[in-house]
Amino acid sequence: MLLVLPVAALQVTYQIGANGTDYHAEAVVNGTDRFEFVQSGMLGERIPLSVRNVTLFQNGVNTTYTQERGGITFPKGNYSIIYDGVLSGNTFQSQLPEPGSVSIILPDRYKVDNPLLTSLQPGGSRTNRSENQTVITWDTTRYFDVRFYDANQENLLGIFAQFWLIIAVMLLLPFVFSRRRQG
């Protein structure tokens, strides 16, 4: 379970990697002096998240910051923060301290169309699928939870459904034949 808690995020865009195990993020923050990288533990406690390639920009200029446990600090102002992180299990979750705009960009091999294989929380997201990517957007949200899948998982669901359909038919046939003999 991955939880990223930036401070005063107005807009965050996450680009999921082609292999589904990493992401590249850009957060735009206003009027803040800190940005935190944390995940939620089993009891909701905040646990520092390991991110890499953190870059801080102010007005398009690379700016210095101080690395602290679980985040970075810098002079109060408006910034763009770029960083990379790791995902596991085709699930991505995050929370924001205030409502903000969130976009998640999935490569074309991942889908969020089948409700049996996916989860998009909260409701009200917009999904825009093109030939080479899917973009999921929330205009104003404090959190999101996305579970995505690939063609292999969709095929496995089809095989699983066929298997149970065959079992159901095999269990129902004796019942149907016994009803015909009684009638």
Side-chain angles (χ1 to χ4, degrees), residues 9-22:
L10 298 176
Q11 180 178 6
V12 185
T13 302
Y14 301 95
Q15 172 73 50
I16 306 301
N19 61 5
T21 61
D22 60 356

Side-chain angles (χ1 to χ4, degrees), residues 9-14 26-28 96 98-104 126 136-142 144:
L10 298 176
Q11 180 178 6
V12 185
T13 302
Y14 301 95
E26 180 172 351
V28 177
L96 308 174
E98 64 183 46
S101 173
V102 173
S103 294
I104 299 173
R126 291 187 320 278
I136 306 159
T137 305
W138 290 270
D139 290 328
T140 306
T141 188
R142 289 190 63 110
F144 68 86

Side-chain angles (χ1 to χ4, degrees), residues 32-73:
T32 188
D33 60 358
R34 179 168 178 76
F35 190 85
E36 295 179 335
F37 309 102
V38 296
Q39 61 186 0
S40 179
M42 294 298 288
L43 301 174
E45 72 276 18
R46 294 166 45 115
I47 300 170
L49 177 65
S50 177
V51 295
R52 60 190 186 283
N53 303 327
V54 178
T55 309
L56 180 70
F57 291 99
Q58 186 175 39
N59 298 324
V61 177
N62 193 343
T63 306
T64 60
Y65 59 86
T66 303
Q67 185 81 36
E68 292 186 352
R69 184 171 193 258
I72 59 174
T73 59

Side-chain angles (χ1 to χ4, degrees), residues 152-177:
N152 291 335
Q153 290 169 306
E154 196 167 30
N155 291 338
L156 286 174
L157 177 64
I159 291 168
F160 179 76
Q162 290 173 6
F163 173 76
W164 283 106
L165 181 62
I166 291 168
I167 288 177
V169 168
M170 289 174 53
L171 292 174
L172 288 174
L173 281 178
F175 176 74
V176 170
F177 288 137

